[in-house]
Amino acid sequence: MRRNVDLSSTLFALASGSLPSAVAIVKLSGPDTFSISNKIFRPRIERARGIWKGSWFTSEGAFIDEGIVLSFVAPHSHTGEDTIEFHCHGAVAIVRQFQEELLKLGARPAEKGEFSYRAIQHGKVSPGELETLGDLFLARSPEDLSAIYGRRDAGLEKEIEKIRANLIRALAIYDTAVDFSDEYSQVVPRAVEPIQLAIQECSVITQRYDRLKEPQKPPRIALVGRPNAGKSSLFNRVLGRYRAIVHVDPGTTRDVLEETVLLNGRAWTLTDTAGVRAEVQGPEALGIELGTRYLEGAAFWILVVDGTVGLGEVEAELLERHGAKPHLILWNKRDLPEWNLPQATLGAQAFSSVLPEDLDALLSRPEFSKGAVEQGPLPTAVAVAKLNQVRETLSGLLASMAKETPPEYLSEELRGGLRDLESVIGEVGVEDVLDRVFGEFCIGK
Ligand SMILES: Nc1nc2c(ncn2[C@@H]2O[C@H](COP(=O)(O)OP(=O)(O)OP(=O)(O)O)[C@@H](O)[C@H]2O)c(=O)[nH]1
Ligand SMILES: [Mg+2]
């Protein structure tokens, strides 16, 4: 990945966005910055900090453009080197000609992140600051921004400490097994639980970062139930418009319908699915199967029950298979005289999608305000890489325990994992961030 990491060449790159644009910024940085600039920019500028207005010409004297130049003198620049920013018109032809001239005059195109690399080498930014900078470009919401800026709070340290406590527990078990080697099968398996807990806790932390890196749809709430229960009616009420077909005939909805909604201040993907029933074939059966897959990917689900009919096998099976996932049971159609909610039916809520007060109460339920993504402290990319390594070590330990690997070996491996874990909250080193800088940063940064 890292090809040219010398500090002696003078680099150039387009530091602004894609062309054409109102203004383009071409950045030139390195020891020959001023001498190169003076071969194409008039008036000549001294090696001094300033803002200059003037024009650019090719080495043959042909006019390219006019604009302004910002000059910085080492070490007072982003890279810590002599740097000039050319602010010209953002036309493809101008910028291209410009870059060709710079190339002819001995400058070389910067690689991704190469300016930042020089900034680190010259002590202008710390690796930790570069981490923050890298993540800043991934932020899409004010929440993302405050998570990135809020990292300095000690939240992550507390979480790492919890993982560490589990690993120390496991270590004590391994060490006991070393001392009582003939009782392996009674002692070592006790370490499985703390190790599994630690793996889980590592994942919880790294997932927060994955969410920042991979923009996703908001978490899903799936509306599920038997045909005719009133899922599509509820879907439409929440959206406030007639989006899904509603009909007295069961089996109306065949496809999965999804819309983004704001519930209690949080974005969710609300999903209407085909009513579940056995003994159907063809498109309806396919629709039911598709709905099941969406239910599996949901963060929350609402079982809509026709309160004039009650529970049946469909509901029992859904609850058995998906009951562990956060859900809510709505005993729908309470506006009808035939409606009946037997006492203590699985904590079901009396509901009617035609009663506005019921809809209001549903939409303001506190579970919708939290969002499905847990809002803990955001780790850095370096911390995530280390935690992934820890998780790998721990998974390896689970496999080794299953094979009755000697406890001496387990203990040694676990100590390595502990060291990696402890380094998560230590200082970030230059080496830790270099691959990221060269791999992910934009050209010109
Ligand atoms: N009175 C009353 N009728 C309702 C209520 N909710 C739905 N309905 C009626 O029940 C029938 C079925 O409603 P849908 O919303 O299409 O039901 P569904 O669960 O989407 O049905 P499928 O798409 O077949 O799975 C329609 O005639 C609706 O008007 C309610 O709260 N009260
Ligand atoms: Mg429907």
mmCIF file of all heavy atoms in Angstrom, residues 227-228 230-233 244-247 251-254 272-275, ligand 2:
data_model
loop_
_atom_site.group_PDB
_atom_site.id
_atom_site.type_symbol
_atom_site.label_atom_id
_atom_site.label_comp_id
_atom_site.label_asym_id
_atom_site.label_seq_id
_atom_site.Cartn_x
_atom_site.Cartn_y
_atom_site.Cartn_z
ATOM 1 N N PRO A 227 -53.185 -13.357 8.224
ATOM 2 C CA PRO A 227 -53.898 -12.525 7.247
ATOM 3 C C PRO A 227 -55.097 -11.854 7.907
ATOM 4 O O PRO A 227 -55.721 -12.444 8.802
ATOM 5 C CB PRO A 227 -54.366 -13.526 6.178
ATOM 6 C CG PRO A 227 -53.455 -14.699 6.317
ATOM 7 C CD PRO A 227 -53.066 -14.757 7.756
ATOM 8 N N ASN A 228 -55.361 -10.632 7.502
ATOM 9 C CA ASN A 228 -56.544 -9.906 7.962
ATOM 10 C C ASN A 228 -56.448 -9.354 9.398
ATOM 11 O O ASN A 228 -57.408 -8.794 9.903
ATOM 12 C CB ASN A 228 -57.786 -10.803 7.868
ATOM 13 C CG ASN A 228 -58.918 -10.058 7.173
ATOM 14 O OD1 ASN A 228 -58.668 -9.055 6.511
ATOM 15 N ND2 ASN A 228 -60.139 -10.522 7.338
ATOM 16 N N GLY A 230 -54.777 -6.879 10.381
ATOM 17 C CA GLY A 230 -54.772 -5.418 10.359
ATOM 18 C C GLY A 230 -53.370 -4.819 10.279
ATOM 19 O O GLY A 230 -53.162 -3.662 10.652
ATOM 20 N N LYS A 231 -52.407 -5.573 9.749
ATOM 21 C CA LYS A 231 -51.018 -5.087 9.642
ATOM 22 C C LYS A 231 -50.909 -3.911 8.676
ATOM 23 O O LYS A 231 -50.293 -2.897 8.978
ATOM 24 C CB LYS A 231 -50.096 -6.228 9.163
ATOM 25 C CG LYS A 231 -50.105 -7.439 10.061
ATOM 26 C CD LYS A 231 -49.307 -8.589 9.487
ATOM 27 C CE LYS A 231 -49.892 -9.162 8.206
ATOM 28 N NZ LYS A 231 -51.236 -9.749 8.366
ATOM 29 N N SER A 232 -51.520 -4.095 7.504
ATOM 30 C CA SER A 232 -51.400 -3.030 6.500
ATOM 31 C C SER A 232 -52.144 -1.785 6.943
ATOM 32 O O SER A 232 -51.712 -0.655 6.670
ATOM 33 C CB SER A 232 -51.917 -3.506 5.146
ATOM 34 O OG SER A 232 -51.169 -4.622 4.727
ATOM 35 N N SER A 233 -53.271 -1.969 7.649
ATOM 36 C CA SER A 233 -54.004 -0.800 8.155
ATOM 37 C C SER A 233 -53.120 -0.029 9.128
ATOM 38 O O SER A 233 -53.044 1.203 9.078
ATOM 39 C CB SER A 233 -55.275 -1.228 8.889
ATOM 40 O OG SER A 233 -56.034 -2.079 8.091
ATOM 41 N N ALA A 244 -50.235 0.911 1.672
ATOM 42 C CA ALA A 244 -50.433 -0.523 1.434
ATOM 43 C C ALA A 244 -51.918 -0.791 1.187
ATOM 44 O O ALA A 244 -52.772 -0.146 1.787
ATOM 45 C CB ALA A 244 -49.973 -1.313 2.662
ATOM 46 N N ILE A 245 -52.204 -1.735 0.340
ATOM 47 C CA ILE A 245 -53.604 -2.086 0.077
ATOM 48 C C ILE A 245 -54.193 -2.754 1.317
ATOM 49 O O ILE A 245 -53.578 -3.645 1.911
ATOM 50 C CB ILE A 245 -53.711 -3.051 -1.125
ATOM 51 C CG1 ILE A 245 -53.143 -2.371 -2.375
ATOM 52 C CG2 ILE A 245 -55.151 -3.503 -1.341
ATOM 53 C CD1 ILE A 245 -53.000 -3.311 -3.559
ATOM 54 N N VAL A 246 -55.376 -2.279 1.689
ATOM 55 C CA VAL A 246 -56.103 -2.857 2.824
ATOM 56 C C VAL A 246 -57.396 -3.439 2.277
ATOM 57 O O VAL A 246 -58.083 -2.778 1.486
ATOM 58 C CB VAL A 246 -56.414 -1.763 3.874
ATOM 59 C CG1 VAL A 246 -57.422 -2.272 4.904
ATOM 60 C CG2 VAL A 246 -55.141 -1.311 4.566
ATOM 61 N N HIS A 247 -57.705 -4.653 2.669
ATOM 62 C CA HIS A 247 -58.921 -5.274 2.137
ATOM 63 C C HIS A 247 -59.447 -6.301 3.119
ATOM 64 O O HIS A 247 -58.674 -6.903 3.860
ATOM 65 C CB HIS A 247 -58.619 -5.933 0.781
ATOM 66 C CG HIS A 247 -59.849 -6.172 -0.027
ATOM 67 N ND1 HIS A 247 -60.594 -7.327 0.084
ATOM 68 C CD2 HIS A 247 -60.484 -5.386 -0.940
ATOM 69 C CE1 HIS A 247 -61.636 -7.247 -0.740
ATOM 70 N NE2 HIS A 247 -61.589 -6.076 -1.376
ATOM 71 N N GLY A 251 -55.050 -12.352 2.938
ATOM 72 C CA GLY A 251 -54.041 -12.632 1.913
ATOM 73 C C GLY A 251 -53.874 -11.469 0.950
ATOM 74 O O GLY A 251 -53.445 -11.656 -0.188
ATOM 75 N N THR A 252 -54.210 -10.274 1.386
ATOM 76 C CA THR A 252 -54.121 -9.101 0.510
ATOM 77 C C THR A 252 -52.663 -8.738 0.229
ATOM 78 O O THR A 252 -52.264 -8.551 -0.915
ATOM 79 C CB THR A 252 -54.831 -7.895 1.174
ATOM 80 O OG1 THR A 252 -56.190 -8.262 1.411
ATOM 81 C CG2 THR A 252 -54.764 -6.673 0.287
ATOM 82 N N THR A 253 -51.861 -8.628 1.275
ATOM 83 C CA THR A 253 -50.460 -8.223 1.092
ATOM 84 C C THR A 253 -49.633 -9.436 0.681
ATOM 85 O O THR A 253 -49.693 -10.484 1.320
ATOM 86 C CB THR A 253 -49.892 -7.628 2.394
ATOM 87 O OG1 THR A 253 -50.749 -6.577 2.805
ATOM 88 C CG2 THR A 253 -48.492 -7.100 2.196
ATOM 89 N N ARG A 254 -48.892 -9.270 -0.418
ATOM 90 C CA ARG A 254 -48.049 -10.370 -0.894
ATOM 91 C C ARG A 254 -46.570 -10.021 -0.750
ATOM 92 O O ARG A 254 -45.755 -10.830 -0.362
ATOM 93 C CB ARG A 254 -48.339 -10.662 -2.374
ATOM 94 C CG ARG A 254 -49.757 -11.137 -2.625
ATOM 95 C CD ARG A 254 -49.884 -12.597 -2.224
ATOM 96 N NE ARG A 254 -51.257 -13.080 -2.337
ATOM 97 C CZ ARG A 254 -51.779 -13.621 -3.423
ATOM 98 N NH1 ARG A 254 -51.057 -13.720 -4.523
ATOM 99 N NH2 ARG A 254 -53.016 -14.051 -3.432
ATOM 100 N N ASP A 272 -44.120 -3.834 6.365
ATOM 101 C CA ASP A 272 -45.389 -4.568 6.334
ATOM 102 C C ASP A 272 -45.131 -5.891 5.613
ATOM 103 O O ASP A 272 -44.421 -5.933 4.603
ATOM 104 C CB ASP A 272 -46.432 -3.738 5.572
ATOM 105 C CG ASP A 272 -47.814 -4.383 5.602
ATOM 106 O OD1 ASP A 272 -48.082 -5.203 6.512
ATOM 107 O OD2 ASP A 272 -48.631 -4.073 4.702
ATOM 108 N N THR A 273 -45.681 -6.976 6.150
ATOM 109 C CA THR A 273 -45.411 -8.281 5.545
ATOM 110 C C THR A 273 -46.722 -8.999 5.210
ATOM 111 O O THR A 273 -47.794 -8.610 5.675
ATOM 112 C CB THR A 273 -44.614 -9.197 6.506
ATOM 113 O OG1 THR A 273 -45.419 -9.433 7.665
ATOM 114 C CG2 THR A 273 -43.310 -8.555 6.922
ATOM 115 N N ALA A 274 -46.587 -10.051 4.435
ATOM 116 C CA ALA A 274 -47.758 -10.859 4.065
ATOM 117 C C ALA A 274 -48.241 -11.623 5.294
ATOM 118 O O ALA A 274 -47.432 -12.107 6.087
ATOM 119 C CB ALA A 274 -47.371 -11.841 2.966
ATOM 120 N N GLY A 275 -49.541 -11.724 5.451
ATOM 121 C CA GLY A 275 -50.113 -12.484 6.570
ATOM 122 C C GLY A 275 -49.665 -13.939 6.520
ATOM 123 O O GLY A 275 -49.611 -14.537 5.446
HETATM 124 MG MG MG B 2 -51.770 -6.541 4.509
#
